[in-house]
Amino acid sequence: MHMTHDSSAPAAPEIGFDQFLAVDIRIGTIVEAHPFPEARKPAYRLTIDFGETIGRKTSSAQITEHYTLQELVGRQVAAVVNFPPRQIGPVMSEVLTLGFPDAEGRVVLFSPTVPVPNGGRLF
């Protein structure tokens, strides 16, 4: 799956609403953040709590430019929770943590402006 992080990228092809609904994006709280030196690109290994239904999931996230490990714990983030898990070095990444590129293409996390219950689904 190729993803571009360029703000000048053209809009993706039109999709049906059912395709959007097939992508399960949930809110969770980061409960653990660890260095991930084995990753090819600088990344952290996160454990994110998505509440009772989804539970705790791991994610590898290339967010080292804007965030320290300490400030990530307790932060709410959005993630796709229904992709198949991906092996990234020694870590199984179970969810895709979502972000947007800054002007230099570095990842800025996508978070709610006020706290919301873990496990809430984007609509």
Side-chain angles (χ1 to χ4, degrees), residues 37-67:
E38 303 90 348
R40 272 200 310 273
K41 294 181 180 175
Y44 294 144
R45 182 169 45 87
L46 308 176
T47 302
I48 306 169
D49 183 357
F50 291 98
E52 268 184 40
T53 305
I54 306 286
R56 289 184 173 199
K57 300 290 182 182
T58 57
S59 183
S60 168
Q62 295 172 14
I63 54 174
T64 58
E65 294 97 337
H66 284 298
Y67 305 96

mmCIF file of all heavy atoms in Angstrom, residues 37-67:
data_model
loop_
_atom_site.group_PDB
_atom_site.id
_atom_site.type_symbol
_atom_site.label_atom_id
_atom_site.label_comp_id
_atom_site.label_asym_id
_atom_site.label_seq_id
_atom_site.Cartn_x
_atom_site.Cartn_y
_atom_site.Cartn_z
ATOM 1 N N PRO A 37 14.384 0.909 18.043
ATOM 2 C CA PRO A 37 15.630 1.063 17.271
ATOM 3 C C PRO A 37 15.737 0.122 16.077
ATOM 4 O O PRO A 37 16.498 0.388 15.154
ATOM 5 C CB PRO A 37 16.725 0.765 18.304
ATOM 6 C CG PRO A 37 16.050 -0.033 19.364
ATOM 7 C CD PRO A 37 14.617 0.428 19.399
ATOM 8 N N GLU A 38 14.957 -0.964 16.066
ATOM 9 C CA GLU A 38 15.045 -1.927 14.969
ATOM 10 C C GLU A 38 14.331 -1.455 13.702
ATOM 11 O O GLU A 38 14.525 -2.026 12.633
ATOM 12 C CB GLU A 38 14.446 -3.288 15.382
ATOM 13 C CG GLU A 38 15.078 -3.909 16.606
ATOM 14 C CD GLU A 38 14.386 -3.498 17.911
ATOM 15 O OE1 GLU A 38 13.569 -2.559 17.897
ATOM 16 O OE2 GLU A 38 14.675 -4.132 18.943
ATOM 17 N N ALA A 39 13.498 -0.440 13.801
ATOM 18 C CA ALA A 39 12.746 0.046 12.640
ATOM 19 C C ALA A 39 13.692 0.670 11.621
ATOM 20 O O ALA A 39 14.696 1.284 11.984
ATOM 21 C CB ALA A 39 11.699 1.064 13.084
ATOM 22 N N ARG A 40 13.363 0.506 10.332
ATOM 23 C CA ARG A 40 14.204 1.081 9.265
ATOM 24 C C ARG A 40 14.222 2.599 9.330
ATOM 25 O O ARG A 40 15.250 3.230 9.149
ATOM 26 C CB ARG A 40 13.694 0.638 7.889
ATOM 27 C CG ARG A 40 14.269 -0.676 7.417
ATOM 28 C CD ARG A 40 14.140 -0.846 5.911
ATOM 29 N NE ARG A 40 12.792 -0.591 5.419
ATOM 30 C CZ ARG A 40 11.838 -1.520 5.375
ATOM 31 N NH1 ARG A 40 12.077 -2.730 5.796
ATOM 32 N NH2 ARG A 40 10.639 -1.209 4.915
ATOM 33 N N LYS A 41 13.050 3.203 9.563
ATOM 34 C CA LYS A 41 12.957 4.659 9.709
ATOM 35 C C LYS A 41 12.696 4.944 11.175
ATOM 36 O O LYS A 41 12.075 4.137 11.857
ATOM 37 C CB LYS A 41 11.812 5.207 8.849
ATOM 38 C CG LYS A 41 12.048 5.036 7.358
ATOM 39 C CD LYS A 41 10.903 5.627 6.571
ATOM 40 C CE LYS A 41 11.131 5.464 5.072
ATOM 41 N NZ LYS A 41 9.975 5.916 4.297
ATOM 42 N N PRO A 42 13.145 6.100 11.694
ATOM 43 C CA PRO A 42 12.944 6.397 13.116
ATOM 44 C C PRO A 42 11.469 6.280 13.508
ATOM 45 O O PRO A 42 10.603 6.871 12.875
ATOM 46 C CB PRO A 42 13.432 7.835 13.263
ATOM 47 C CG PRO A 42 14.391 8.021 12.125
ATOM 48 C CD PRO A 42 13.865 7.166 10.995
ATOM 49 N N ALA A 43 11.212 5.479 14.545
ATOM 50 C CA ALA A 43 9.826 5.208 14.944
ATOM 51 C C ALA A 43 9.768 4.903 16.434
ATOM 52 O O ALA A 43 10.792 4.646 17.071
ATOM 53 C CB ALA A 43 9.271 4.027 14.145
ATOM 54 N N TYR A 44 8.557 4.943 16.961
ATOM 55 C CA TYR A 44 8.283 4.502 18.322
ATOM 56 C C TYR A 44 7.354 3.297 18.255
ATOM 57 O O TYR A 44 6.598 3.123 17.295
ATOM 58 C CB TYR A 44 7.577 5.599 19.130
ATOM 59 C CG TYR A 44 8.396 6.840 19.400
ATOM 60 C CD1 TYR A 44 7.780 8.092 19.402
ATOM 61 C CD2 TYR A 44 9.756 6.779 19.684
ATOM 62 C CE1 TYR A 44 8.507 9.240 19.678
ATOM 63 C CE2 TYR A 44 10.486 7.922 19.945
ATOM 64 C CZ TYR A 44 9.857 9.158 19.935
ATOM 65 O OH TYR A 44 10.564 10.292 20.210
ATOM 66 N N ARG A 45 7.374 2.495 19.309
ATOM 67 C CA ARG A 45 6.459 1.370 19.466
ATOM 68 C C ARG A 45 5.435 1.785 20.524
ATOM 69 O O ARG A 45 5.797 2.080 21.659
ATOM 70 C CB ARG A 45 7.241 0.131 19.901
ATOM 71 C CG ARG A 45 6.407 -1.120 20.041
ATOM 72 C CD ARG A 45 7.301 -2.342 20.214
ATOM 73 N NE ARG A 45 8.393 -2.146 21.160
ATOM 74 C CZ ARG A 45 8.295 -2.352 22.476
ATOM 75 N NH1 ARG A 45 7.161 -2.748 23.012
ATOM 76 N NH2 ARG A 45 9.338 -2.168 23.257
ATOM 77 N N LEU A 46 4.176 1.827 20.136
ATOM 78 C CA LEU A 46 3.119 2.315 21.015
ATOM 79 C C LEU A 46 2.176 1.186 21.417
ATOM 80 O O LEU A 46 1.923 0.270 20.627
ATOM 81 C CB LEU A 46 2.274 3.383 20.306
ATOM 82 C CG LEU A 46 3.016 4.561 19.665
ATOM 83 C CD1 LEU A 46 2.029 5.450 18.925
ATOM 84 C CD2 LEU A 46 3.792 5.343 20.708
ATOM 85 N N THR A 47 1.654 1.264 22.637
ATOM 86 C CA THR A 47 0.518 0.440 23.047
ATOM 87 C C THR A 47 -0.633 1.409 23.269
ATOM 88 O O THR A 47 -0.501 2.377 24.032
ATOM 89 C CB THR A 47 0.818 -0.354 24.334
ATOM 90 O OG1 THR A 47 1.962 -1.175 24.105
ATOM 91 C CG2 THR A 47 -0.374 -1.227 24.728
ATOM 92 N N ILE A 48 -1.743 1.154 22.573
ATOM 93 C CA ILE A 48 -2.878 2.069 22.588
ATOM 94 C C ILE A 48 -4.104 1.331 23.123
ATOM 95 O O ILE A 48 -4.416 0.226 22.668
ATOM 96 C CB ILE A 48 -3.169 2.614 21.172
ATOM 97 C CG1 ILE A 48 -1.898 3.230 20.576
ATOM 98 C CG2 ILE A 48 -4.313 3.633 21.207
ATOM 99 C CD1 ILE A 48 -1.999 3.549 19.094
ATOM 100 N N ASP A 49 -4.789 1.951 24.090
ATOM 101 C CA ASP A 49 -5.987 1.367 24.690
ATOM 102 C C ASP A 49 -7.221 1.904 23.976
ATOM 103 O O ASP A 49 -7.523 3.102 24.049
ATOM 104 C CB ASP A 49 -6.036 1.710 26.177
ATOM 105 C CG ASP A 49 -7.214 1.079 26.893
ATOM 106 O OD1 ASP A 49 -8.043 0.405 26.244
ATOM 107 O OD2 ASP A 49 -7.324 1.259 28.121
ATOM 108 N N PHE A 50 -7.941 0.994 23.285
ATOM 109 C CA PHE A 50 -9.144 1.371 22.550
ATOM 110 C C PHE A 50 -10.420 1.015 23.301
ATOM 111 O O PHE A 50 -11.486 0.944 22.701
ATOM 112 C CB PHE A 50 -9.141 0.698 21.171
ATOM 113 C CG PHE A 50 -8.077 1.246 20.254
ATOM 114 C CD1 PHE A 50 -6.869 0.571 20.116
ATOM 115 C CD2 PHE A 50 -8.264 2.416 19.549
ATOM 116 C CE1 PHE A 50 -5.882 1.063 19.280
ATOM 117 C CE2 PHE A 50 -7.286 2.917 18.713
ATOM 118 C CZ PHE A 50 -6.084 2.237 18.582
ATOM 119 N N GLY A 51 -10.325 0.774 24.603
ATOM 120 C CA GLY A 51 -11.522 0.472 25.386
ATOM 121 C C GLY A 51 -11.861 -1.005 25.364
ATOM 122 O O GLY A 51 -11.143 -1.827 24.798
ATOM 123 N N GLU A 52 -12.998 -1.339 25.982
ATOM 124 C CA GLU A 52 -13.363 -2.743 26.219
ATOM 125 C C GLU A 52 -13.505 -3.576 24.957
ATOM 126 O O GLU A 52 -13.025 -4.698 24.892
ATOM 127 C CB GLU A 52 -14.680 -2.811 26.991
ATOM 128 C CG GLU A 52 -14.493 -2.861 28.490
ATOM 129 C CD GLU A 52 -15.817 -3.034 29.217
ATOM 130 O OE1 GLU A 52 -16.667 -3.815 28.735
ATOM 131 O OE2 GLU A 52 -15.989 -2.376 30.251
ATOM 132 N N THR A 53 -14.165 -3.056 23.931
ATOM 133 C CA THR A 53 -14.470 -3.868 22.752
ATOM 134 C C THR A 53 -13.226 -4.221 21.951
ATOM 135 O O THR A 53 -13.006 -5.377 21.596
ATOM 136 C CB THR A 53 -15.478 -3.134 21.837
ATOM 137 O OG1 THR A 53 -16.625 -2.811 22.618
ATOM 138 C CG2 THR A 53 -15.900 -4.002 20.673
ATOM 139 N N ILE A 54 -12.380 -3.240 21.668
ATOM 140 C CA ILE A 54 -11.180 -3.451 20.838
ATOM 141 C C ILE A 54 -9.987 -3.864 21.698
ATOM 142 O O ILE A 54 -9.157 -4.664 21.284
ATOM 143 C CB ILE A 54 -10.838 -2.164 20.041
ATOM 144 C CG1 ILE A 54 -12.049 -1.677 19.240
ATOM 145 C CG2 ILE A 54 -9.617 -2.375 19.146
ATOM 146 C CD1 ILE A 54 -12.407 -2.473 18.024
ATOM 147 N N GLY A 55 -9.884 -3.299 22.897
ATOM 148 C CA GLY A 55 -8.777 -3.632 23.786
ATOM 149 C C GLY A 55 -7.508 -2.851 23.472
ATOM 150 O O GLY A 55 -7.544 -1.820 22.811
ATOM 151 N N ARG A 56 -6.380 -3.382 23.961
ATOM 152 C CA ARG A 56 -5.078 -2.744 23.748
ATOM 153 C C ARG A 56 -4.408 -3.307 22.509
ATOM 154 O O ARG A 56 -4.383 -4.522 22.321
ATOM 155 C CB ARG A 56 -4.176 -2.950 24.964
ATOM 156 C CG ARG A 56 -4.642 -2.147 26.163
ATOM 157 C CD ARG A 56 -3.705 -2.280 27.335
ATOM 158 N NE ARG A 56 -4.133 -1.361 28.392
ATOM 159 C CZ ARG A 56 -3.353 -0.972 29.388
ATOM 160 N NH1 ARG A 56 -2.118 -1.441 29.495
ATOM 161 N NH2 ARG A 56 -3.809 -0.128 30.290
ATOM 162 N N LYS A 57 -3.872 -2.418 21.679
ATOM 163 C CA LYS A 57 -3.222 -2.820 20.426
ATOM 164 C C LYS A 57 -1.866 -2.129 20.315
ATOM 165 O O LYS A 57 -1.658 -1.050 20.869
ATOM 166 C CB LYS A 57 -4.077 -2.429 19.214
ATOM 167 C CG LYS A 57 -5.462 -3.051 19.203
ATOM 168 C CD LYS A 57 -5.425 -4.542 18.959
ATOM 169 C CE LYS A 57 -6.812 -5.144 18.903
ATOM 170 N NZ LYS A 57 -6.784 -6.598 18.722
ATOM 171 N N THR A 58 -0.959 -2.758 19.569
ATOM 172 C CA THR A 58 0.359 -2.176 19.353
ATOM 173 C C THR A 58 0.408 -1.491 17.987
ATOM 174 O O THR A 58 -0.301 -1.875 17.057
ATOM 175 C CB THR A 58 1.471 -3.245 19.417
ATOM 176 O OG1 THR A 58 1.181 -4.247 18.447
ATOM 177 C CG2 THR A 58 1.566 -3.853 20.794
ATOM 178 N N SER A 59 1.266 -0.474 17.900
ATOM 179 C CA SER A 59 1.444 0.249 16.645
ATOM 180 C C SER A 59 2.872 0.740 16.556
ATOM 181 O O SER A 59 3.452 1.177 17.556
ATOM 182 C CB SER A 59 0.483 1.441 16.572
ATOM 183 O OG SER A 59 0.590 2.105 15.327
ATOM 184 N N SER A 60 3.440 0.660 15.372
ATOM 185 C CA SER A 60 4.724 1.306 15.093
ATOM 186 C C SER A 60 4.399 2.628 14.419
ATOM 187 O O SER A 60 3.639 2.653 13.445
ATOM 188 C CB SER A 60 5.555 0.432 14.155
ATOM 189 O OG SER A 60 6.655 1.159 13.659
ATOM 190 N N ALA A 61 4.934 3.733 14.944
ATOM 191 C CA ALA A 61 4.581 5.049 14.411
ATOM 192 C C ALA A 61 5.830 5.896 14.190
ATOM 193 O O ALA A 61 6.654 6.035 15.089
ATOM 194 C CB ALA A 61 3.625 5.758 15.369
ATOM 195 N N GLN A 62 5.947 6.456 12.987
ATOM 196 C CA GLN A 62 7.093 7.308 12.638
ATOM 197 C C GLN A 62 6.792 8.746 13.071
ATOM 198 O O GLN A 62 6.516 9.613 12.247
ATOM 199 C CB GLN A 62 7.382 7.216 11.141
ATOM 200 C CG GLN A 62 7.822 5.835 10.718
ATOM 201 C CD GLN A 62 7.918 5.687 9.207
ATOM 202 O OE1 GLN A 62 7.905 6.661 8.468
ATOM 203 N NE2 GLN A 62 8.007 4.455 8.757
ATOM 204 N N ILE A 63 6.853 8.957 14.381
ATOM 205 C CA ILE A 63 6.446 10.256 14.949
ATOM 206 C C ILE A 63 7.538 10.838 15.842
ATOM 207 O O ILE A 63 7.260 11.610 16.755
ATOM 208 C CB ILE A 63 5.124 10.104 15.746
ATOM 209 C CG1 ILE A 63 5.251 9.002 16.807
ATOM 210 C CG2 ILE A 63 3.966 9.801 14.808
ATOM 211 C CD1 ILE A 63 4.055 8.891 17.726
ATOM 212 N N THR A 64 8.794 10.470 15.561
ATOM 213 C CA THR A 64 9.894 10.858 16.447
ATOM 214 C C THR A 64 10.275 12.332 16.328
ATOM 215 O O THR A 64 10.908 12.881 17.234
ATOM 216 C CB THR A 64 11.144 9.999 16.171
ATOM 217 O OG1 THR A 64 11.504 10.152 14.792
ATOM 218 C CG2 THR A 64 10.874 8.535 16.454
ATOM 219 N N GLU A 65 9.910 13.004 15.227
ATOM 220 C CA GLU A 65 10.347 14.395 15.042
ATOM 221 C C GLU A 65 9.597 15.372 15.943
ATOM 222 O O GLU A 65 10.168 16.333 16.425
ATOM 223 C CB GLU A 65 10.170 14.843 13.584
ATOM 224 C CG GLU A 65 11.061 14.116 12.596
ATOM 225 C CD GLU A 65 10.340 12.955 11.921
ATOM 226 O OE1 GLU A 65 9.348 12.450 12.503
ATOM 227 O OE2 GLU A 65 10.756 12.553 10.830
ATOM 228 N N HIS A 66 8.307 15.125 16.160
ATOM 229 C CA HIS A 66 7.496 16.088 16.910
ATOM 230 C C HIS A 66 7.188 15.675 18.341
ATOM 231 O O HIS A 66 6.675 16.485 19.112
ATOM 232 C CB HIS A 66 6.172 16.346 16.188
ATOM 233 C CG HIS A 66 6.294 17.237 14.986
ATOM 234 N ND1 HIS A 66 6.730 18.536 15.060
ATOM 235 C CD2 HIS A 66 6.053 17.002 13.675
ATOM 236 C CE1 HIS A 66 6.748 19.076 13.861
ATOM 237 N NE2 HIS A 66 6.342 18.163 12.989
ATOM 238 N N TYR A 67 7.462 14.402 18.700
ATOM 239 C CA TYR A 67 6.989 13.912 19.997
ATOM 240 C C TYR A 67 8.089 13.164 20.740
ATOM 241 O O TYR A 67 8.855 12.416 20.145
ATOM 242 C CB TYR A 67 5.785 12.960 19.807
ATOM 243 C CG TYR A 67 4.668 13.588 19.014
ATOM 244 C CD1 TYR A 67 4.561 13.375 17.649
ATOM 245 C CD2 TYR A 67 3.736 14.418 19.633
ATOM 246 C CE1 TYR A 67 3.542 13.972 16.909
ATOM 247 C CE2 TYR A 67 2.713 15.015 18.899
ATOM 248 C CZ TYR A 67 2.629 14.789 17.540
ATOM 249 O OH TYR A 67 1.634 15.373 16.811
#
